[in-house]
Each structure stands twice: as structure tokens, then as C-alpha cells.
Amino acid sequence: GNFGWGGLNPGPPPDGNGSGSVSEFLADGTAVSGPNGYDGGTSRVQGIIVDPDGNVWTANVGNNQVVVFLDGDPNRSVSAPLSCHPFGLAFAQDGTVWVTTAGRGLPTVNQPCGDVQDSVTRWRLEGDRLVMLSQTFVGSVNKGIDIDRDGFAWVASGIDNTVYRLNPNGEVVGAFQGGGINGPWSLRIDDGGDVW
């Protein structure tokens, strides 16, 4: 995912849309996506994951959208709005994708979010549409997210220096501070179940 700070794709169409792109490479490093990358409805991509079916999910802070390239094809994309500033993505074993928002910490001239409460949402791709299964308003400037082996989501909330744990239904079941947590940006769960 390319945020679009500069270089390729910062200019006006047709060479760029000023808001980044998505790039694809083969395992040997050969670029597949061309000199300007893919657009497919993306705008300032922050998070990107690929699900087991080959669908490419992107969190787009520039247009407040979750955009999915069906089967990895940027010409076959679906999207859904999510206020404000989708940021992190994580795939769960039940086939859902969890998305964080970091709106309050990413105000911009073009996309101000005001006092919108940040959230953690859970989505399912049904055919060619995205369905939101849950939305939990929690945290402030949520960025990193990962799913543990029991299907619980762990979320790094930057402004309140907290890591939240949500059950598979999206209910907050834990809030953790201390241990040096200060403005957490990312997190991962290791094979032993420890949260880093």
C-alpha cells in the first residue's frame, strides 16, 4: 500500500491521482502493477492484507473506505465507508476481517474527522459486497490489530496508551496499560499467545 507522499502517483490523472496506490510484485521482486501501481478505488492506503481466497483488503485513510480487490483484481473492487480514517487490518480464522480507525489522530485539511469516535469493526465479504458484522466504539487513534488463536482481537490505541482485547463478537473484555506502553502503534501475537 502506497500512501502517496511523493514520487510516483502523486500527480493528476492519468498518471496519478494524488493519493497513492497499491503495488504488486512477484516473489522474485518483479513488479506486476506497472509504473503507477493500482488504484481500484484506494486512497492513501494504511493497512493491507490478503485473505486465504486471494482477496486484497485495504484500509484507506484518504477516502474513509475499506476497499477489497476481489481475487486480487483491482478492476473488480468493492468498498464500504467507515468513518474515520481506517488504519489497521487483521484476518480472523472465521473468515472475517477486523478494521481499526485512527481518525482523531489523523486530521487533515481535506478529510477532517472532528470528534468522531474511533472504532473497531468486523467485516465479512459476501459475494461482491462488504457486510459490517459489528462496530465497537473504543480507544482513541486505534492503529495496530491482531487476532489471537481464540478469535479475540487485540488493538493498539495510541492516545490513551491502552491495548484493548475484544471477544469475537466485538465486546471489550480487557484493557491493558503499563509495561512501557506509550502511544502504541502496532502489535503482534506470537505462537505462544504472548502479545507484543
Side-chain angles (χ1 to χ4, degrees), residues 29-78:
T30 302
V32 175
S33 49
N36 293 316
Y38 300 135
D39 184 323
T42 60
S43 180
R44 302 212 183 280
V45 177
Q46 276 292 343
I48 187 168
I49 61 170
V50 180
D51 70 24
D53 295 322
N55 302 300
V56 178
W57 295 67
T58 61
N60 298 268
V61 301
N63 61 8
N64 299 321
Q65 299 274 322
V66 176
V67 178
V68 180
F69 296 169
L70 301 174
D71 299 317
D73 183 351
N75 297 311
R76 294 180 52 236
S77 63
V78 296

Side-chain angles (χ1 to χ4, degrees), residues 6 22 24-25 35 83 106 125 150 180:
V22 173
E24 179 185 9
F25 296 85
S83 61
L106 299 173
L125 181 61
D150 296 320

